[in-house]
Amino acid sequence: VAMDLTRLAVDAGQFINRAVQYTEESLGHGEKTELDPGLGELFVRADATKTWSDQMISQTEVLLQPNSGARLEDRLYEHLDWSVPPRPRTHEVLGDQMVQAGLEMGSNTPYGTALLRCGEAQKQLGEAERKFVQSTNIHFLTPLRSFTEGEYGDERKMLVNKRLDLDIAKTRLRKAHEADREGRAEMEQRICQSLFDRQSEITRRVVEGIGNTHTNHMRSLTDFVEGQACYFDQCHQHAQELQKQLQLCEQTKNSQISTQLDQISTISTVHLLLHATPIKHLIKLTLLDEAPPPWFDLAQVAAEKRGEAPCQSLTKKKLCLNLKDQIRIPK
């Protein structure tokens, strides 16, 4: 326990010293060891790669999950190494609502049928989106995160810390010269210089591979675009199929309306004829042709509803035969 406390105290003191050194450098009051020019150029390129990779990761996460609360919850589960609970996509939620609405409106009605088909299509879009999200996380975000959160970031931070330790040692050595206590300070500086040089070489090897990193990121970017194209193609196919289904629903509805209008028109015409024309005149019109007119059946039904005896007791054929001798048809 004593060793742990001692180590903790040393780490805390080291952290404070680095913070003080960094603050003084920022204010222009402290000396700062410059990096090798070649290494500095590599850092500029690598830092730009990391900065833009972080921004692309962040914006891609927004694209895949626009809800900031849901993104924060998912990130919390990841840090706790817990499995993220399944969350329905917005298209799937809309699809469920449309299906429920269609059942409520009636699956045998044109509007209810249209809602049911739209709901199923929205669910298909949600499933396509879910697959796209999974593909993007695996083939695009994971490789980028392995760079930003991986070896380069760790080695870069380590180099900054070693450089701060070296500048702290230089400051102590300068003050020790003034107090004639330079032996220990010189030893500390040599150790810090050695650690800094070693870390510089390690970091150099890492950043020299930034070209390979760009090649890998290019491959990940291609995978992202291919996944996006596949997702858009699936959405287009689902949307086109839904359009065809809705057109069929519209045609069916129009056909039903047309049939209803024809029935209403026919019944209205017969009703008008039966009320405006004596029954004997209608029979005479019928006997003039070899076959009764198309509206004869409807006329007979309408006459029966009114209680007219000839139509109640005689069929079409019998009516014509029985009345043929009674009615003189003009030539």
Side-chain angles (χ1 to χ4, degrees):
V1 176
M3 292 182 61
D4 292 339
L5 292 176
T6 302
R7 182 61 183 173
L8 181 61
V10 171
D11 291 342
Q14 192 176 45
F15 176 79
I16 294 174
N17 291 334
R18 289 171 179 172
V20 172
Q21 177 66 27
Y22 183 81
T23 303
E24 290 181 351
E25 291 174 357
S26 300
L27 297 175
H29 299 159
E31 295 183 4
K32 179 179 178 180
T33 301
E34 298 296 334
L35 300 174
D36 179 81
L39 185 59
E41 293 175 0
L42 291 173
F43 279 155
V44 170
R45 191 181 182 196
D47 289 343
T49 302
K50 183 180 184 306
T51 298
W52 286 108
S53 295
D54 284 332
Q55 293 186 20
M56 286 188 293
I57 290 172
S58 178
Q59 192 58 38
T60 303
E61 290 174 344
V62 174
L63 173 68
L64 300 181
Q65 177 52 265
N67 190 316
S68 58
R71 291 199 309 274
L72 181 60
E73 182 181 352
D74 291 346
R75 197 170 293 117
L76 178 61
Y77 277 106
E78 290 175 1
H79 285 305
L80 295 175
D81 290 331
W82 293 352
S83 59
V84 179
R87 183 182 294 108
R89 309 301 300 181
T90 53
H91 284 290
E92 293 173 327
V93 175
L94 177 60
D96 287 336
Q97 292 177 349
M98 285 184 170
V99 169
Q100 293 176 7
L103 294 174
E104 185 73 20
M105 298 298 107
S107 59
N108 57 342
T109 64
Y111 182 46
T113 301
L115 282 172
L116 290 173
R117 294 182 177 178
C118 283
E120 293 301 325
Q122 295 302 317
K123 290 182 179 181
Q124 291 174 339
L125 292 174
E127 181 62 25
E129 183 183 15
R130 184 184 302 279
K131 293 180 179 178
F132 169 63
V133 170
Q134 293 175 348
S135 173
T136 301
N137 275 316
I138 294 173
H139 300 294
F140 183 63
L141 291 180
T142 298
L144 263 64
R145 288 196 188 104
S146 66
F147 167 73
T148 59
E149 301 174 359
E151 186 179 12
Y152 170 72
D154 295 339
E155 299 299 340
R156 186 78 167 89
K157 292 177 182 177
M158 184 68 70
L159 180 62
V160 171
N161 289 336
K162 297 304 180 184
R163 200 268 305 162
L164 289 172
D165 292 341
L166 176 58
D167 289 332
I168 292 171
K170 289 180 178 180
T171 300
R172 289 176 177 171
L173 179 60
R174 186 176 62 254
K175 293 180 179 179
H177 280 308
E178 298 172 357
D180 295 330
R181 295 193 303 269
E182 52 186 282
R184 182 177 178 181
E186 288 179 351
M187 178 65 69
E188 182 182 0
Q189 180 181 345
R190 285 196 296 270
I191 294 174
C192 291
Q193 183 71 54
S194 176
L195 293 175
F196 172 74
D197 293 340
R198 178 186 176 187
Q199 186 60 39
S200 296
E201 289 302 316
I202 295 174
T203 310
R204 179 189 293 275
R205 288 195 295 270
V206 173
V207 296
E208 283 177 345
I210 197 65
N212 294 331
T213 300
H214 287 182
T215 300
N216 294 334
H217 287 187
M218 180 67 180
R219 190 179 301 111
S220 300
L221 184 63
T222 301
D223 291 340
F224 168 71
V225 174
E226 289 179 354
Q228 196 174 44
C230 180
Y231 166 59
F232 289 155
D233 183 61
Q234 289 179 346
C235 291
H236 181 65
Q237 291 179 6
H238 292 320
Q240 281 191 321
E241 181 63 26
L242 178 59
Q243 280 183 320
K244 293 178 182 178
Q245 293 178 358
L246 290 183
Q247 287 174 357
L248 291 176
C249 290
E250 188 69 20
Q251 292 174 0
T252 302
K253 183 191 72 173
N254 291 338
S255 177
Q256 292 176 350
I257 293 175
S258 178
T259 302
Q260 292 173 356
L261 290 176
D262 290 342
Q263 292 175 350
I264 292 173
S265 177
T266 302
I267 293 173
S268 299
T269 301
V270 172
H271 182 74
L272 179 62
L273 288 172
L274 291 176
H275 283 77
T277 309
I279 187 63
K280 290 184 178 181
H281 183 58
L282 292 176
I283 296 173
K284 288 173 67 176
L285 293 176
T286 302
L287 296 176
L288 287 173
D289 299 321
E290 294 182 359
W295 45 264
F296 191 90
D297 287 336
L298 291 175
Q300 183 175 340
V301 172
E304 290 177 356
K305 289 184 178 180
R306 294 206 315 274
E308 295 187 2
C311 291
Q312 288 178 346
S313 59
L314 300 175
T315 64
K316 222 170 10 176
K317 184 175 181 181
K318 289 181 179 181
L319 179 63
C320 293
L321 292 175
N322 292 341
L323 297 180
K324 191 172 183 180
D325 297 332
Q326 301 177 18
I327 300 175
R328 298 181 63 182
I329 303 174
K331 294 183 180 179

